[in-house]
Amino acid sequence: MATVLITGANRGIGLALARTYAARGDRVIGTARNPADATALLAVTAEVHRLDVTDVANHAGLRAALAGLPVDILIANAGMMGPRGGLRDLENTPAIWGEVLATNVTGVFFTVQALADNVTAARGRIAIISSRMGSSARAAGSSYLYRASKAAASNLAANLAVELQPNGVPVAAYHPGWVKTDMGGSSADVSVDESARGLVKRIDALSIETTGSFEDFAGAQIVF
């Protein structure tokens, strides 16, 4: 039985991952901004911690709560979308740029910083949920904020892989597919359950030999 910690586990891909790991008998620890409202997650596991990934004090609290607990798999999943348009999309404000980057980039960094000792104690794995939309090879002139944030998240994964390799901890970035969630929309072509099953399989296969990789839920490699 592995101990799996998933951020942003109260909905979407995070919740599907929690259900998938719990179904195979793993110990699932989920985080949510408001645990009391995370009823679907609480039906999966009673181990739900409050974590706003943009709040360093929250990270400190989580680290204290989990002090000494080896974590076999850490999944930095919490994220948000932001404006989908181009240069003239008026939703592109400094405030929303700050919020999305704080969630999708610095939130990932502080999550790993807070729990690196727990993962190292287990010689575990770290998975960062990114997106192929952050790949420069798939530039489309839209959704600038989300694309930039996911490019940065993938870069974080690559750099964390270098730093943590001597500790025996592999790190990789993953594209979950275009998933039917509130973020992905109803036109998406992958169900949350299919994505979660694929991600679990890929994370199980992650090793020091493959650390620093960026691939999708089906195992296809993605250009950074």
Side-chain angles (χ1 to χ4, degrees):
M1 179 181 72
T3 296
V4 184
L5 192 150
I6 306 165
T7 66
N10 56 304
R11 62 187 178 91
I13 296 166
L15 179 58
L17 284 166
R19 287 172 171 157
T20 302
Y21 280 113
R24 76 176 194 180
D26 292 324
R27 176 183 179 182
V28 175
I29 302 172
T31 76
R33 287 185 177 184
N34 298 297
D37 297 332
T39 53
L41 178 58
L42 288 166
V44 175
T45 175
E47 295 187 72
V48 181
H49 292 265
R50 181 175 185 272
L51 180 65
D52 177 344
V53 296
T54 69
D55 188 333
V56 176
N58 276 195
H59 287 290
L62 181 62
R63 179 173 184 167
L66 302 179
L69 175 69
V71 172
D72 299 287
I73 299 170
L74 170 60
I75 303 177
N77 166 73
M80 58 185 298
M81 182 71 195
R84 298 174 187 264
L87 287 172
R88 290 178 172 78
D89 186 340
L90 297 181
E91 291 185 16
N92 278 297
T93 64
I96 193 63
W97 271 74
E99 184 179 359
V100 173
L101 290 173
T103 301
N104 294 1
V105 186
T106 57
V108 172
F109 177 83
F110 288 116
T111 294
V112 176
Q113 183 186 63
L115 300 172
D117 288 345
N118 302 76
V119 181
T120 298
R123 294 184 69 85
R125 308 176 181 94
I126 297 174
I128 294 173
I129 303 303
S130 185
S131 172
R132 67 182 181 185
M133 287 178 68
S135 168
S136 297
R138 298 185 64 86
S142 62
S143 299
Y144 281 89
L145 175 49
Y146 185 75
R147 292 177 188 276
S149 71
K150 290 304 184 179
S154 299
N155 183 270
L156 272 178
N159 279 279
L160 288 165
V162 173
E163 181 172 359
L164 295 176
Q165 185 172 17
N167 296 343
V169 175
V171 185
Y174 296 95
H175 168 59
W178 183 21
V179 186
K180 294 178 182 177
T181 61
D182 291 343
M183 185 183 295
S186 59
S187 298
D189 54 11
V190 180
S191 73
V192 288
D193 290 334
E194 180 184 359
S195 174
R197 288 193 299 268
L199 288 169
V200 168
K201 184 176 180 180
R202 300 319 310 158
I203 295 167
D204 281 346
L206 177 60
S207 68
I208 285 297
E209 288 68 36
T210 58
T211 192
S213 60
F214 182 18
E215 59 186 11
D216 71 10
F217 73 104
Q221 298 298 309
I222 299 173
V223 176
F224 277 93

